[in-house]
Amino acid sequence: MGTLLLLGSNADVGQACAYRFAKEGYNILLAARTIDDYQKKLASDIAIRHNVKVENVRFDALQTAEHKAFYETLSIAPDVVVSVFGYLGNHEKGLADFEEAQLIIDSNFTGNVSILGIIANAMEAKKQGSIVCVSSVAGERGRKSNYLYGASKAALTAFLSGLRGRMFASNVHVATVIPGFIKTKMVADLPPTPKPITASAEQVAEAIWKAFSKKKDVVYVLPVWWLIMFIIKSIPEALFKKTNL
Amino acid sequence: MERIFNWGIYPTIDAECTTLNAVDKIAAYVRTTDAFIPRGNGRCYGDSALQPKIFSTLALNKFLSFDTVNGIIKTEAGVLLSEILEVIVPKGFFLPVTPGTKFITMGGAVASNIHGKNHHKDGAISQYIECFDLMVESGEILRCSRTENTEHFINTIGGMGLTGVVLTVTLHLKKIETSFIKQKAVKAKNIHAILDYFEQYQHYTYSVAWIDCLSKGDSLGRSILMLGEHATPSDLQAQQAKQPLQLHSAKQIDVPFMFPAFALNELSIKAFNFLYYNKQRQQEINNVVHYNPYFYPLDILTNWNRIYGKNGFTQYQFAIPFENGREGLIKILTKIADSGCGSFLAVLKTFGKGDAFSSPLSFPIEGYTLALDFKVSPKVFALLDELDKVVLDYGGRLYLTKDARMTSATFHQSYGTAFLHSTKFQSLQSNRLTI
Ligand SMILES: Cc1cc2nc3c(=O)[nH]c(=O)nc-3n(C[C@H](O)[C@H](O)[C@H](O)COP(=O)(O)OP(=O)(O)OC[C@H]3O[C@@H](n4cnc5c(N)ncnc54)[C@H](O)[C@@H]3O)c2cc1C
């Protein structure tokens, strides 16, 4: 069976995704910034429940200088890479303090450009492989309440779309998964989002599995989000700038 | 605050329920909370796992190791037996002891020192516990086994959550060749016949009798004895042999909330018992069935506890020594039949010797054990007070994990010795019984 490299196993979506692939028999490399007690338990749990091999590996999205060595020292070259790491950040803080803004940009965008670039080159050479990356509806149009995060995700979406075009010729599949609201740690502290348009981590994982197994290009986790974003994107800028979104 | 209750839906309490999985956070909770009780999946019937402050172990849901050579599994305490079966059955192992539902946690299994239909031969779960990690009052984690922290090991098994929070459990499993059970069902016309059968068939690994509690006179205690052995491949029918280690299916049927109370009047129970008894035309049936209907016949109904209505029900489970046990059972069954307070389920089993490695609160004593369900009502509580007297007269006791109503005096008279524990860990039950 194949091996999945899961970038961001600290995130709920990452964990749900690891279980989803393990259920299909994939061996899993769980990449997180720190391998704590919980990450180790996660690894044993997935391995025992699904009878697959699971390994913890250390990966820091911000340490781009280490990415090449990280990828080259993996015990096995993965067949599929799923990237779910990201940082919502504090928008208000980011407006006053560039360090926060940069952290948002680097976590969501620069980190992915670096690691997915390295992986894409390796897969291109072998002419096989799959890359699935989670972006966000926030990247579809900059809103005044969170455009730092939105801009970093917009850049990521554009990057993935270009990468998909480049990899097409080499038989390497690149999928962009676009969730709307997700019920996870990231938004646990914010006011609750409306239920019908909030996906669970498991629903996002299912969308990721579908994107991979059906070789989709762009997947909206809840289809209603495609419609919502279609409407939001069609609002003329002259009007949009007056909204409070 | 949430409304919390256990399987009997009686009693209920508004409680603050905390769910954590990081050990350092749990330690901080334990240190800073004055009085609380750990709670697993709430499958005890009464108030054992209730308190205004509850620590839920359900996020402690990870498998830690599985030695498939020696059959030893280590999990966090909130993992359910149903999940363990999913992992171990395909590898040719089974739970060494299992209750009548697979939806309990490992921690709950330890804290109640659970028994199965094989207690007379194999003892309680205590016999198969290699070790566990226990978080005590100070937030410190003690590794407990027969050789390390032995006193904590003993007091926690059957200790009803009063010694601390069990964090992990390491359990020895039983080897099986198939996931099927070779079953023999024998009809017994009354209490004497069934007790004779128990003796005659005591070499069987599994035995349990379903008793019709409404029949009186010569038919008092008429029942069906269900015996079982793990099937070998040669026992299987062609269809079963295709998948000898087949798992239980995840299919469930939901019972709507709440079933009308009148549905369970005496008449409907009579009809049920009559059907059950008469379903079996022959004196004896031999067949091979999957472990799921054999051990967990009610699990398929997700919330069957709702059929007793929203006021809930209580399970009365006692154990009495073999000596004069027959006489005691007859007295009790007569009182129940005369009262007209029908019990939907009455289950009779036998217990073998008690064990050295379990707490003074642990339930099993050598003898008979009978479990009966009653819809909560003043009339039922009056009947149960009567039954308590008989149980005490015959040197018996009640199972704490099923209890919601006995008096402190009854408890102390039957369990005897004092049980010293930190006041940090207390339940409505331990307060009621002054444990
Ligand atoms: C249909 C049905 C059939 C049953 N059949 C049987 C049977 O045949 N034999 C039998 O022995 N029992 C039987 N039981 C009872 C059941 O096995 C016990 O009540 C068991 O303890 C429930 O486990 P739980 O995880 O639901 O724990 P809970 O009900 O949540 O808690 C039960 C007790 O365990 C303590 N506890 C739970 N987790 C921990 C922990 N991690 N650390 C410390 N203390 C803890 C609680 O404080 C409480 O005192 C049956 C129950 C049902 C509903």
Side-chain angles (χ1 to χ4, degrees), chain B residues 7 37-45 48-49 57 77 99-101 104-105 107-108 111-112 114-115 160-161 164-166 304 349 399 401-402:
Chain B
W7 192 243
I37 193 75
R39 184 167 188 264
N41 207 30
R43 250 50 175 195
C44 65
Y45 279 67
S48 314
T57 64
T101 174
I104 74 159
T105 65
S112 294
I114 56 157
H115 61 267
M160 302 310 292
V165 182
V166 175
W304 66 258
K349 289 178 285 204
Y399 194 1
T401 213
K402 307 282 175 81

Side-chain angles (χ1 to χ4, degrees), chain A residues 201-228:
Chain A
E202 286 69 30
Q203 280 173 308
V204 182
E206 193 57 40
I208 291 172
W209 170 254
K210 269 216 188 100
F212 161 69
S213 58
K214 301 206 165 138
K215 294 214 181 299
K216 301 266 192 205
D217 297 325
V218 180
V219 174
Y220 284 81
V221 174
L222 297 177
V224 61
W225 275 102
W226 178 86
L227 187 67
I228 295 172

Side-chain angles (χ1 to χ4, degrees), chain A residues 32-241:
Chain A
R33 186 162 38 204
T34 41
I35 302 176
D36 55 13
D37 201 37
Y38 183 79
Q39 286 292 317
K40 287 186 204 152
K41 287 182 195 170
L42 183 68
S44 68
D45 191 57
I46 298 172
I48 295 169
R49 282 182 197 259
H50 294 295
N51 211 5
V52 296
K53 283 195 208 121
V54 185
E55 224 182 285
N56 293 110
V57 287
R58 209 177 311 269
F59 169 74
D60 188 337
L62 298 175
Q63 303 301 316
T64 50
E66 294 170 5
H67 285 183
K68 205 162 172 22
F70 160 79
Y71 187 72
E72 282 167 359
T73 54
L74 289 178
S75 61
I76 179 168
D79 308 274
V80 198
V81 176
V82 173
S83 169
V84 305
F85 64 81
Y87 177 57
L88 189 56
N90 180 332
H91 187 70
E92 293 304 318
K93 191 175 166 204
L95 299 183
D97 174 0
F98 179 66
E99 246 178 65
E100 177 72 3
Q102 187 159 33
L103 197 58
I104 294 173
I105 295 164
D106 288 348
S107 306
N108 295 314
F109 181 58
T110 321
N112 269 314
V113 173
S114 165
I115 187 64
L116 297 186
I118 291 163
I119 291 167
N121 291 347
M123 288 183 169
E124 187 179 39
K126 282 200 288 183
K127 297 210 176 318
Q128 60 180 26
S130 274
I131 296 172
V132 185
C133 185
V134 173
S135 191
S136 170
V137 290
E140 312 254 305
R141 192 162 195 181
R143 292 179 292 126
K144 75 175 180 192
S145 59
N146 78 341
Y147 62 84
L148 291 174
Y149 178 76
S152 68
K153 288 292 194 180
L156 179 60
T157 302
F159 168 78
L160 292 169
S161 142
L163 187 67
R164 176 159 42 246
R166 173 187 147 208
M167 290 293 125
F168 180 69
S170 314
N171 188 37
V172 175
H173 166 224
V174 178
T176 311
V177 172
I178 304 187
F181 299 137
I182 311 178
K183 212 175 91 193
T184 63
K185 279 190 269 203
M186 246 198 196
V187 292
D189 301 333
L190 300 177
T193 49
K195 261 208 185 118
I197 57 172
T198 305
S200 65
E202 286 69 30
Q203 280 173 308
V204 182
E206 193 57 40
I208 291 172
W209 170 254
K210 269 216 188 100
F212 161 69
S213 58
K214 301 206 165 138
K215 294 214 181 299
K216 301 266 192 205
D217 297 325
V218 180
V219 174
Y220 284 81
V221 174
L222 297 177
V224 61
W225 275 102
W226 178 86
L227 187 67
I228 295 172
M229 293 326 292
F230 179 78
I231 294 166
I232 289 183
K233 281 189 284 190
S234 20
I235 301 173
E237 193 70 15
L239 267 178
F240 189 70
K241 71 179 181 200

